[in-house]
Amino acid sequence: MAKEGSGSILQFAPLQSSVDEGFWHRLSSLKLNKFGIDDSPIPISGFYAPCSHPQVSNHLTLLAESLLSDSNDESTMPSVIRGNRNRCSVPGILYNTNTMEGFHALDKQGLLKAEAMKIWEDIHSGKAVEDCAVLSRVLLISFADLKKWNFHYWFAFPALALDPPATLVDLRPASQWFTLEEAESVSTACNEWRNSSVTADVPFFLVSIGSDSHAAVRHLKDLEACQRDGQKLLFAFYDPCHLPNNPGWPLRNFLALISARWNLKTVRFLCYRENRGFADLNLSLVGEALITVQQRWREQQCVPNAVGWELNKGRKVPRCINLAKSMDPTRLAISAADLNLKLMRWRALPSLNLEILFSLKCLLLGAGTLGCQVARMLMAWGVRRITLLDNGRVAMSNPLRQSLYTLDDCHNGGDFKATAAVRSLQRIFPAVEAEGIVMAIPMPGHPVSSQEEKSVLEDCKRLNDLIDSHDVIFLLTDTRESRWLPTLLCANRNKITITAALGFDSFLVMRHGPGPFNSIPNLKAETEDSLAAGMDNLVLTNTDGQHRLGCYFCNDVVAPTDSTSNRMLDQQCTVTRPGLAPIASALAVELLVGILHHPNGIFAEAEIANSSSGGNFELPLGILPHQIRGSLPHFQQMTLLGHSSNSCTACCSTVVSEYRKRGMQFILQAINHPTYLEDVTGLTELMRSANSFQLDWDDDIEVADDECVEL
């Protein structure tokens, strides 16, 4: 530590740089989308704060906001929000070259001197007294190799060199320089200065101490008032350096201002440092320096020499950083998308199995209002592999309700929804593995001619292959009959199946129970693309003997038939309240995530909210219901349970057995003959028995005059 009267040359601790990755990403975006080959200098803002740790100095940092946004005019400085105590703004300039050769060819000393000239002009014009932030500047030269994501760069912090150098008379911890009363008052005054939104980021200031030991902190422009009062005066600055024997770099230009502007020969300075956000006079330093400069210093035309290029491991060479792994937009998108899920695992949901979600293959049958919303929700949960099947085109009425489409998709008759949806998903999240299938689903009640049979059977086989190659199937189509064939195929393959259906102001979300036969191969024996390692642990055998959960058709007593013919306009369109689809879609995806994280998987029993017997709240995601029915008029939601029916036209053992025996011929017969499914399942006989049932009326019932009872 320097002692009083030592007379040594005052030496300053160099400022160090730190660049956030967001800065390089913003620079890359500007270079690609705005600047192009224009290599004009770019205004930037750096940030620093006073030292806050006894063993670590603060760096001058560049962040994404250090650069202007894409919409700003390139001639203006980046917008800096003032009043942030942790971000004292430092104006600067960036020279980003187009080639590595151009980077090496830059006149580095000339650029440094040009920035020093700006500081010198601000000192002589008085601007540095009015806005002391301009006393510090940052110069950055760089070359951004956007093909390999290599960034070559070199920082300079321009400083005016005193000639001759300042002589250090005294330097000691501030706590040893002040009396106890003065120290307490100085700490209080500095804390108030730092905590005020007006002065928190003003890095150069005056500390005056009266004869009564009362301290005050003032702006530099108040110097004359402080001198008239005959008080002790210290020139204070936020010191980013932690060293006990050296003040930080910002003092260099501060001394230049004091000498050139006020012609002072002896200067007492305070290197202000903090601990936990409050003034720390043990860490802060108070020093006294003698300044002897030539007469020409008071002339603006005589610019002092400039120093300030940052050393790299003790050498005057640039730095290089490779950000290929983090700067590629797709990788950045993946990182950002996964952030919320990974943070969920910290405390809220430690058992969240991201591997299952990342490897899951989901097939969405229907790319309309529900399909668009379900796809978005799946991506939010980390699902990367999504297939959408639909044969419709985007109509003018779709974009407002179907979130993956825009007006551009409606031109020239409209793009196919499946392909337009995939384009949109890829724009939202480039890493998604999305595929669009343009295909109609064969439906019972919609007979086909002999000429169409081959095409329909090919569609049936293709749908079967799609279901077989995916892990989860969402039924999101507009009509009831379009859900029949997928339900049958899913029951045959024991696939996780989720149905979402909308009314005008009500909705149904349900998970289908497992198929009637559990003899299909375990998922481990499926193709590797079917599900990755995490999915192998789901249980696929029903060992408790419980009733199967029903499918979408289990409560029907008639076979699905043509519901599209002879419909009015409001019946041709899916007329629902706009808020219904997002609610139902979100619940459908949440239901899937619950199945994936339940130890029994597809065979998990149904749980009902507020039931004394149901509801396993020990599971991390809560209960796992069978059906969720909601009503917007009453803002109500219910969880219901429905067991499978032995006469179900889609999932009962009779129907699945017939399909396994006869294959596509069975499906073709179901399509062409509306009553075939009812005959096979026994529903025809059931309805015949119900029609023949006679009610015995009591003839003695008296009915009041003019009163009619209608049954």
Side-chain angles (χ1 to χ4, degrees):
M1 181 178 297
K3 300 299 182 182
E4 186 170 349
S6 62
S8 60
I9 294 177
L10 180 57
Q11 296 181 335
F12 309 88
L15 197 56
Q16 296 174 296
S17 66
S18 174
V19 187
D20 185 82
E21 286 188 11
F23 175 86
W24 298 123
H25 182 60
R26 174 69 67 83
L27 176 61
S28 302
S29 176
L30 288 169
K31 183 67 176 174
L32 290 171
N33 302 318
K34 188 171 185 177
F35 298 147
I37 61 172
D38 184 4
D39 58 358
S40 302
I42 305 168
I44 59 175
S45 289
F47 304 99
Y48 79 100
C51 174
S52 56
H53 193 283
Q55 296 179 337
V56 181
S57 296
N58 275 336
H59 294 185
L60 186 139
T61 304
L62 295 185
L63 307 170
E65 50 265 45
S66 296
L67 280 163
L68 51 89
S69 65
D70 290 358
S71 59
N72 287 345
D73 183 81
E74 58 195 64
S75 64
T76 62
M77 286 294 294
S79 58
V80 177
I81 299 176
R82 304 303 298 265
N84 187 332
R85 58 179 288 125
N86 297 315
R87 291 188 183 180
C88 300
S89 177
V90 176
I93 204 79
L94 164 65
Y95 291 87
N96 185 58
T97 63
N98 288 310
T99 65
M100 192 66 187
E101 292 76 9
F103 174 78
H104 289 302
L106 285 173
D107 180 8
K108 300 173 182 59
Q109 196 57 35
L111 295 176
L112 180 65
K113 188 171 183 178
E115 293 305 300
M117 171 69 83
K118 296 176 183 177
I119 299 173
W120 187 244
E121 290 174 350
D122 289 338
I123 288 175
H124 280 272
S125 68
K127 182 178 179 181
V129 175
E130 295 296 325
D131 180 12
C132 61
V134 300
L135 271 178
S136 300
R137 293 192 66 84
V138 56
L139 167 64
L140 175 62
I141 61 174
S142 67
F143 165 63
D145 182 355
L146 302 185
K147 185 175 182 180
K148 299 180 180 178
W149 296 108
N150 285 325
F151 296 88
H152 302 263
Y153 64 98
W154 200 348
F155 275 90
F157 307 106
L160 302 171
L162 297 175
D163 184 21
T167 302
L168 181 64
V169 177
D170 183 27
L171 184 66
R172 66 182 69 180
S175 59
Q176 298 179 16
W177 198 86
F178 297 115
T179 66
L180 290 177
E181 293 79 9
E182 290 174 344
E184 182 177 356
S185 183
V186 168
S187 294
T188 301
C190 289
N191 288 333
E192 291 177 355
W193 178 269
R194 286 284 287 154
N195 291 326
S196 170
S197 60
V198 178
T199 57
D201 59 349
V202 177
F204 300 93
F205 51 95
L206 303 173
V207 176
S208 61
I209 305 173
S211 58
D212 58 354
S213 299
H214 176 74
V217 177
R218 302 188 183 186
H219 290 277
L220 297 183
K221 60 185 178 181
D222 298 328
L223 176 63
E224 293 183 6
C226 296
Q227 290 175 325
R228 285 198 304 267
D229 295 341
Q231 300 173 330
K232 291 182 183 179
L233 181 64
L234 292 94
F235 292 85
F237 70 100
Y238 293 163
D239 190 355
C241 173
H242 78 282
L243 298 177
N245 300 324
N246 301 91
W249 197 253
L251 181 58
R252 297 196 67 136
N253 290 334
F254 199 14
L255 292 179
L257 167 70
I258 295 168
S259 176
R261 186 76 181 173
W262 295 308
N263 195 27
L264 296 179
K265 307 297 183 182
T266 302
V267 178
R268 287 175 179 169
F269 55 86
L270 169 64
C271 306
Y272 175 82
R273 301 169 181 177
E274 293 183 338
N275 186 9
R276 300 181 183 273
F278 296 95
D280 186 341
L281 296 190
N282 290 317
L283 186 59
S284 299
L285 303 176
V286 171
E288 183 175 346
L290 299 178
I291 307 176
T292 303
V293 296
Q294 301 174 11
Q295 180 66 28
R296 58 188 177 87
W297 254 60
R298 284 185 287 277
E299 300 175 5
Q300 183 173 348
Q301 295 79 9
C302 180
V303 182
N305 291 328
V307 295
W309 284 106
E310 186 180 26
L311 299 181
N312 180 9
K313 298 180 180 179
R315 301 167 57 205
K316 286 190 175 183
V317 293
R319 302 172 187 266
C320 179
I321 184 172
N322 180 274
L323 298 178
K325 291 184 178 179
S326 60
M327 288 300 299
D328 179 82
T330 300
R331 293 178 181 176
L332 283 174
I334 294 173
S335 177
D338 294 348
L339 179 61
N340 182 58
L341 296 171
K342 291 179 179 178
L343 291 180
M344 287 169 62
R345 292 202 300 190
W346 280 20
R347 297 181 185 179
L349 196 58
S351 60
L352 180 63
N353 193 330
L354 296 181
E355 289 69 29
I356 286 181
L357 295 168
F358 292 161
S359 60
L360 200 68
K361 294 183 67 176
C362 292
L363 174 62
L364 279 55
L365 302 181
T369 308
L370 287 168
C372 291
Q373 294 288 350
V374 167
R376 294 293 298 266
M377 291 297 105
L378 286 172
M379 289 201 303
W381 264 110
V383 176
R384 303 277 187 265
R385 307 160 83 181
I386 300 172
T387 302
L388 296 106
L389 184 149
D390 200 300
N391 73 325
R393 293 181 180 271
V394 183
M396 288 290 184
S397 62
N398 293 155
L400 286 177
R401 297 178 297 112
Q402 300 178 8
S403 59
L404 294 181
Y405 308 125
T406 66
L407 186 63
D408 291 340
D409 300 318
C410 306
H411 296 160
N412 302 318
D415 295 337
F416 282 108
K417 287 186 175 182
T419 54
V422 167
R423 286 199 307 269
S424 182
L425 291 177
Q426 291 170 340
R427 285 194 298 267
I428 295 167
F429 184 52
V432 69
E433 299 178 32
E435 181 183 4
I437 305 294
V438 179
M439 192 187 89
I441 299 175
M443 299 177 285
H446 294 252
V448 297
S449 64
S450 57
Q451 292 83 0
E452 298 173 306
E453 283 187 5
K454 182 179 179 181
S455 175
V456 169
L457 290 178
E458 288 177 354
D459 288 342
C460 292
K461 292 176 181 177
R462 189 179 185 190
L463 180 61
N464 180 69
D465 293 340
L466 285 169
I467 289 175
D468 192 41
S469 62
H470 286 75
D471 310 306
V472 179
I473 288 79
F474 284 89
L475 306 187
L476 311 168
T477 54
D478 286 341
T479 62
R480 194 173 190 85
E481 59 267 29
S482 61
R483 301 169 187 248
W484 174 80
L485 180 56
T487 300
L488 167 61
L489 298 177
C490 290
N492 179 58
R493 297 295 299 166
N494 245 17
K495 293 289 182 177
I496 297 176
T497 310
I498 308 288
T499 281
L502 305 177
F504 167 66
D505 53 15
S506 60
F507 67 84
L508 164 68
V509 175
M510 68 179 296
R511 58 184 173 107
H512 291 199
F517 306 111
N518 299 325
S519 59
I520 68 166
N522 187 284
L523 281 178
K524 277 185 178 178
E526 298 285 340
T527 60
E528 291 184 2
D529 290 337
S530 178
L531 254 187
M535 199 67 181
D536 295 338
N537 297 321
L538 288 180
V539 176
L540 284 182
T541 55
N542 192 358
T543 58
D544 54 10
Q546 296 292 328
H547 291 293
R548 288 192 303 118
L549 296 179
C551 76
Y552 184 65
F553 295 93
C554 279
N555 291 332
D556 289 355
V557 293
V558 294
T561 57
D562 184 0
S563 63
T564 60
S565 299
N566 195 31
R567 294 194 302 179
M568 298 179 64
L569 180 61
D570 64 327
Q571 297 170 324
Q572 297 172 21
C573 303
T574 305
V575 180
T576 65
R577 289 173 60 167
L580 212 59
I583 296 173
S585 301
L587 289 173
V589 176
E590 295 293 327
L591 191 60
L592 167 64
V593 177
I595 296 171
L596 297 176
H597 286 80
H598 195 286
N600 294 328
I602 193 174
F603 291 103
E605 293 184 40
E607 297 167 312
I608 301 175
N610 302 321
S611 170
S612 58
S613 58
N616 186 357
F617 291 97
E618 294 182 359
L619 291 173
L621 291 168
I623 69 168
L624 186 60
H626 175 222
Q627 300 180 30
I628 307 165
R629 293 180 181 264
S631 170
L632 277 185
H634 303 97
F635 288 93
Q636 289 180 336
Q637 187 171 292
M638 300 178 294
T639 52
L640 303 175
L641 166 63
H643 292 304
S644 60
S645 168
N646 291 331
S647 300
C648 176
T649 57
C651 79
C652 73
S653 57
T654 303
V655 171
V656 176
S657 295
E658 284 295 310
Y659 168 69
R660 290 188 173 187
K661 291 177 184 176
R662 302 179 54 207
M664 294 301 162
Q665 290 304 314
F666 166 77
I667 293 176
L668 194 60
Q669 192 166 358
I671 290 173
N672 288 329
H673 301 282
T675 63
Y676 174 67
L677 290 173
E678 296 173 359
D679 296 339
V680 170
T681 57
L683 288 177
T684 303
E685 184 61 30
L686 177 63
M687 288 185 287
R688 185 181 296 113
S689 300
N691 291 333
S692 64
F693 182 71
Q694 299 293 326
L695 293 176
D696 293 329
W697 295 97
D698 188 348
D699 294 337
D700 295 333
I701 294 179
E702 296 182 0
V703 180
D705 293 342
D706 300 326
E707 187 173 314
C708 176
V709 176
E710 181 176 341
L711 296 178

